[in-house]
Amino acid sequence: MDAIKDFAKRKKFVIGSGLIEHKAEAQAVPALLSSNWLEKYPTEICIDLPKAAALYLSSDSGEEEKIENAFTMSRVNYMGTDGVRGKVVTQTKENCIADLLKDNAFSPDLVEITSFSFAKNLLDKNIVKAGDTAVIGNDGRDLAYDWILNNSVRSGFAKAGLNVLDLGIVPTAIIPWKCLQLGHRAGACLTASHNPSNQNGIKFFIDGKKLVPEGDLGDYVLSAYMYNYCFLERLPQAASGMITEYNAEEDSIKWMQEVLKSGIFSKSDIKSAFKDTKLIFDSANGATDSIGRKVLENLGVNYSCINTQCTGDNINRGVGIAEIEGTEFYSGKEYDKHISTVKKIFDEGRKSTSGKSVYGIAVDGDGDRGFLLYYSKKDDCLYVLDGDKCGYILAQYLIKSKELNPGNFWFLSTIESDIMTAMSANKFLGLNTRIVSVGDKWIGNFKDGEVLVGLETSGHLIFPIDVFDPCGKKQTLLSGIGLLTGLASICAIKGLGMDEEKIIAPFEPGFSKTYYVFFVEKILYYRGSVIWNKDKELVEKAVNEAIVNSKLPKNTVIKYEDKEDLNVLYMNILAGDNLLGVIFMRNSGTEDKNAVYVKGRKNYEEVLREIGANVHKMHTAEMKNINSVEYKYEQAIIKNLEKNNGKTTVDKILSALGTARDSDGAKTVSESDLFGVVYGLKKEGRVCVLDREIMRT
């Protein structure tokens, strides 16, 4: 394997050669390595050789195409949709990358190596030089671990030779804003966004934008650097960079107010928007908590907040977007079953007088996503205005208030959005539209025209914000700010004079259903894998049967479409040129889960949902990681529910799991870890949760 060693000198790593057991795969290796693919590849890269060999053998294409596809699809990427995330552990077992891959472990060693690798790549490419500053911040959850991970972020950058400006606890968008404002090119945020509190992660920024997979500065290159510094080269013992702490709270408050007042709305629209309005703010016990309260106070908003104290380990727990997403509305008839945020809005709404509006704004842990919640007194329901609806309303308002020609602007949505969102924006608003892969990074890095609004149904809402650097040069920030999403939507609703019917349904919606499988072996799902091919067979067979049974039109076909993320299996269901719906499958890039998405026109909901449910059933049977500790907790929860007639408590489950302690005296089963599993079961639709009570659905 001399060729492998030669490539490694240039950070082109071919890994896993010792894991090839099958004779056929071994015979494929010479054909792969004797090609010039790696020689021609323009950047550092890490290749999973067993995966490449398997893909090479499974292809019936021509030799050149077989090699191209095998190498391209076997590139190693330790990043997900938005940086790297995992379950927090404080000690490394084998090595930080092996622990990440085997146990989804997010350790101080991993954080330090990843931060160092990011900085070192920028230094090697002359994007920054030694002594330049990297801007960092966090969402507050690391408080529960005595800042061990945040110190590792600092250490990684400082050991690479960069100075560090630590902003402390801030919403994610503050970091790229400060990078642009201060003229610093590198940034990072320690956060796991909407994930449970026992998880953490890190997002990186270059020139105010998140990383995408390809290119000199992309995820694949960063992964190669991580491999190098985990397995081959050691990090320096001493740090040459300096650490500076700066409390960015006042700056952030002032800036967010300015964005509303000068960037989007006239002062009169803002003043009138919050007159006769009561607002309930849910900070998810995260990064927007203190900053968000002060923004609302300074704007003169009549508000109350359901969060009382952020402790790190209560971020996203029973509050925020993580608890609300996937719900279209809450009925007052089921008041007792709702979370505290929802109950508080009902309480305020029911006692409100005529002409007074009651809204809620819920964000996620790092504050980059936001939902607007609207209370209807007429039917005693609380309606969820997700990213699709808020983005559509804001686009309407901007076109009208700024007298824009919509044909000059783009409306970007992602594949997780209702398919009717983009259709309506094009048909009724006249905007250019494009549907991109999951992740706001694809919106922030859009280069084909001027973005008016970019959105994800999950609550990312992005509109261009002007930022001036130290030389007075104008830069554009495309980064979501959850609190501003809610406030901007209220201002737009009032500015447009929308009635209740239009607020609840600003465009004619389709249907959306997501089937999750949590705690899976993600390595089983990728382009061309066994399960990937089974998905294609299942859907094709089901569509044909639906045609025969007259559930779908006779001219229905499946059109496969490649998205920016090549490991998404994306299928358009078409009848001629008429899009009936889409079905797609993907591993989550932010959580330990796989998902089957079904979206479409409402008149085809039943048949498309049935197809998605069958695919999901197969994924559940074949992808669950039965060797993971989460699976052990999951089974304990299910057994406890069966034992207690479908209703139990967190304390009963903790007792059933035992009170064993590890060598350091810590409980081997933590409450945070258990809540992480409960969260997964809730999203799978297997349990419902109210405070510390768990009930079978």
Side-chain angles (χ1 to χ4, degrees):
M1 294 290 181
D2 290 338
I4 293 177
K5 293 179 181 178
D6 290 340
F7 284 124
K9 295 175 183 177
R10 290 173 280 167
K11 291 191 176 70
K12 293 185 176 183
F13 304 110
V14 181
I15 62 176
S17 58
L19 300 177
I20 293 179
E21 299 176 353
H22 302 292
K23 185 176 179 181
E25 290 181 0
Q27 290 173 344
V29 169
L32 290 166
L33 296 183
S34 62
S35 74
N36 64 353
W37 192 93
L38 277 167
E39 187 66 44
K40 292 193 306 180
Y41 195 78
T43 68
E44 300 85 351
I45 194 66
C46 207
I47 295 293
D48 181 339
L49 189 58
K51 183 175 177 180
L55 287 168
Y56 174 86
L57 291 170
S58 65
S59 175
D60 56 4
S61 302
E63 185 69 8
E64 186 174 335
E65 187 177 342
K66 284 170 64 175
I67 291 171
E68 173 70 27
N69 183 64
F71 274 127
T72 299
M73 298 313 303
S74 61
R75 291 175 297 172
V76 174
N77 185 3
Y78 301 125
M79 302 295 109
T81 302
D82 204 355
V84 59
R85 296 183 195 177
K87 184 174 68 175
V88 176
V89 299
T90 56
Q91 298 291 329
T92 300
K93 292 181 181 178
E94 186 176 341
N95 63 67
C96 63
I97 288 179
D99 290 356
L100 174 69
L101 297 178
K102 292 179 181 178
D103 301 321
N104 196 36
F106 191 80
S107 65
D109 287 344
L110 179 70
V111 173
E112 185 179 48
I113 282 175
T114 305
S115 301
F116 180 91
S117 297
F118 173 69
K120 194 69 170 66
N121 184 34
L122 298 186
L123 287 160
D124 288 350
K125 305 290 169 39
N126 296 314
I127 302 299
V128 298
K129 62 181 184 298
D132 283 352
T133 297
V135 181
I136 71 169
N138 72 88
D139 67 9
R141 72 180 67 212
D142 197 36
L143 168 63
Y145 297 91
D146 200 26
W147 306 114
I148 188 173
L149 297 172
N150 196 62
N151 289 334
S152 295
V153 179
R154 291 176 167 192
S155 176
F157 279 114
K159 284 184 177 181
L162 297 184
N163 295 328
V164 177
L165 179 64
D166 190 342
L167 304 181
I169 300 174
V170 290
T172 289
I174 300 302
I175 293 158
W177 166 57
K178 272 295 180 185
C179 285
L180 294 177
Q181 185 198 48
L182 299 175
H184 302 315
R185 302 194 71 180
C189 187
L190 181 72
T191 175
S193 190
H194 62 282
N195 291 35
S197 62
N198 70 326
Q199 299 172 34
N200 214 326
I202 187 165
K203 306 175 181 181
F204 294 107
F205 299 88
I206 301 170
D207 296 331
K209 297 179 180 179
K210 292 180 178 177
L211 308 191
V212 293
E214 307 288 351
D216 287 350
L217 307 175
D219 293 339
Y220 290 116
V221 171
L222 176 55
S223 297
Y225 270 79
M226 289 169 62
Y227 180 85
N228 180 64
Y229 290 109
C230 180
F231 293 101
L232 301 175
E233 294 186 54
R234 292 185 178 275
L235 270 58
Q237 290 295 311
S240 56
M242 304 295 292
I243 311 293
T244 302
E245 295 181 356
Y246 178 75
N247 188 331
E249 185 169 290
E250 286 190 19
D251 291 2
S252 303
I253 294 164
K254 183 179 178 182
W255 175 65
M256 289 169 71
Q257 292 168 195
E258 288 176 350
V259 170
L260 274 178
K261 291 179 179 179
S262 62
I264 309 175
F265 304 100
S266 67
K267 291 183 180 179
S268 60
D269 280 348
I270 291 176
K271 187 176 181 180
S272 63
F274 302 115
K275 184 181 178 181
D276 297 324
T277 296
K278 175 68 177 183
L279 178 67
I280 312 304
F281 175 51
D282 179 355
S283 71
N285 291 316
T288 315
D289 185 66
S290 177
I291 289 172
R293 294 169 192 252
K294 290 174 183 176
V295 168
L296 295 172
E297 288 167 9
N298 291 350
L299 289 172
V301 178
N302 178 17
Y303 85 98
S304 59
C305 188
I306 62 104
N307 311 109
T308 56
Q309 186 177 11
C310 303
T311 58
D313 60 356
N314 66 352
I315 193 170
N316 297 322
R317 185 185 295 181
V319 290
I321 277 180
E323 290 296 319
I324 296 170
E325 65 179 334
T327 303
E328 293 184 21
F329 68 93
Y330 295 90
S331 170
K333 295 177 182 178
E334 297 184 315
Y335 174 90
D336 291 337
K337 297 180 180 179
H338 301 325
I339 62 172
S340 55
T341 304
V342 173
K343 286 181 177 178
K344 180 66 174 175
I345 300 172
F346 270 108
D347 293 344
E348 292 293 337
R350 286 170 171 175
K351 69 183 183 184
S352 66
T353 57
S354 177
K356 188 168 185 176
S357 301
V358 177
Y359 291 96
I361 295 177
V363 300
D364 62 346
D366 71 327
D368 65 349
R369 294 165 54 187
F371 283 171
L372 182 64
L373 309 172
Y374 171 76
Y375 176 75
S376 168
K377 199 172 186 71
K378 183 175 69 175
D379 56 8
D380 193 34
C381 280
L382 181 63
Y383 292 92
V384 179
L385 276 64
D386 59 17
D388 288 354
K389 293 175 180 177
C390 288
Y392 189 89
I393 290 169
L394 182 59
Q396 271 185 291
Y397 177 83
L398 291 174
I399 291 169
K400 179 181 177 182
S401 64
K402 296 182 180 294
E403 298 181 344
L404 303 177
N405 178 356
N408 294 334
F409 294 90
W410 284 87
F411 181 96
L412 305 179
S413 56
T414 76
I415 57 177
E416 288 193 330
S417 290
D418 186 330
I419 66 167
M420 302 304 292
T421 310
M423 288 183 182
S424 299
N426 179 254
K427 182 177 180 180
F428 300 113
L429 303 184
L431 291 161
N432 300 300
T433 61
R434 185 168 300 172
I435 300 173
V436 298
S437 285
V438 176
D440 61 330
K441 64 187 179 187
W442 300 113
I443 297 169
N445 283 277
F446 185 74
K447 297 177 181 177
D448 292 347
E450 188 171 353
V451 177
L452 180 66
V453 171
L455 56 89
E456 289 195 292
T457 190
S458 60
H460 285 126
L461 177 56
I462 295 171
F463 45 86
I465 299 171
D466 293 339
V467 182
F468 293 90
D469 68 15
C471 298
K473 183 180 178 181
K474 188 173 78 171
Q475 309 280 345
T476 300
L477 176 68
L478 290 170
S479 189
I481 310 165
L483 178 59
L484 292 190
T485 292
L487 293 175
S489 298
I490 294 173
C491 290
I493 286 168
K494 295 292 184 71
L496 290 166
M498 299 176 74
D499 60 26
E500 184 169 280
E501 185 179 351
K502 280 296 183 183
I503 294 171
I504 295 169
F507 56 88
E508 184 179 350
F511 80 91
S512 296
K513 175 63 179 175
T514 306
Y515 301 90
Y516 294 116
V517 187
F518 274 76
F519 317 123
V520 296
E521 294 187 75
K522 285 187 177 181
I523 58 172
L524 297 176
Y525 201 82
Y526 57 87
R527 191 183 193 89
S529 69
V530 172
I531 298 177
W532 172 287
N533 290 326
K534 283 185 177 181
D535 283 350
K536 292 174 70 174
E537 292 171 6
L538 265 175
V539 175
E540 288 171 2
K541 181 181 178 183
V543 167
N544 288 332
E545 289 177 352
I547 293 170
V548 170
N549 295 324
S550 300
K551 293 182 178 181
L552 288 172
K554 290 183 179 179
N555 62 338
T556 299
V557 297
I558 299 172
K559 182 181 178 182
Y560 293 94
E561 182 179 346
D562 287 340
K563 290 296 182 182
E564 292 86 351
D565 181 352
L566 294 177
N567 287 310
V568 174
L569 177 52
Y570 193 89
M571 293 170 274
N572 295 287
I573 312 300
L574 295 152
D577 294 330
N578 186 23
L579 180 63
L580 310 182
V582 296
I583 300 174
F584 62 96
M585 304 82 175
R586 61 183 285 269
N587 282 333
S588 169
T590 59
E591 299 178 70
D592 185 9
K593 69 184 182 186
N594 179 275
V596 179
Y597 300 81
V598 186
K599 300 173 182 293
R601 298 179 182 272
K602 285 194 171 181
N603 48 327
Y604 295 104
E605 180 173 359
E606 183 179 351
V607 60
L608 294 178
R609 270 179 176 256
E610 185 179 344
I611 294 171
N614 287 335
V615 175
H616 171 254
K617 184 178 180 181
M618 185 267 288
H619 282 208
T620 302
E622 301 207 11
M623 291 193 68
K624 278 280 186 182
N625 183 0
I626 62 173
N627 296 314
S628 68
V629 68
E630 285 78 15
Y631 185 77
K632 171 187 172 184
Y633 294 175
E634 178 183 306
Q635 294 304 300
I637 293 168
I638 299 303
K639 288 178 182 177
N640 210 270
L641 285 168
E642 291 173 351
K643 181 180 177 181
N644 292 281
N645 298 316
K647 188 174 182 179
T648 186
T649 67
V650 169
D651 297 308
K652 284 181 180 178
I653 296 165
L654 286 170
S655 177
L657 285 167
T659 56
R661 296 178 181 270
D662 62 20
S663 57
D664 296 324
K667 288 183 179 180
T668 55
V669 180
S670 75
E671 189 171 290
S672 291
D673 285 351
L674 183 61
F675 268 105
V677 176
V678 170
Y679 167 82
L681 289 174
K682 180 175 180 289
K683 291 298 182 182
E684 286 185 354
R686 298 165 70 185
V687 303
C688 56
V689 184
L690 184 62
D691 297 325
R692 299 180 70 82
E693 287 191 349
I694 303 169
M695 292 146 281
R696 185 171 51 206
T697 54

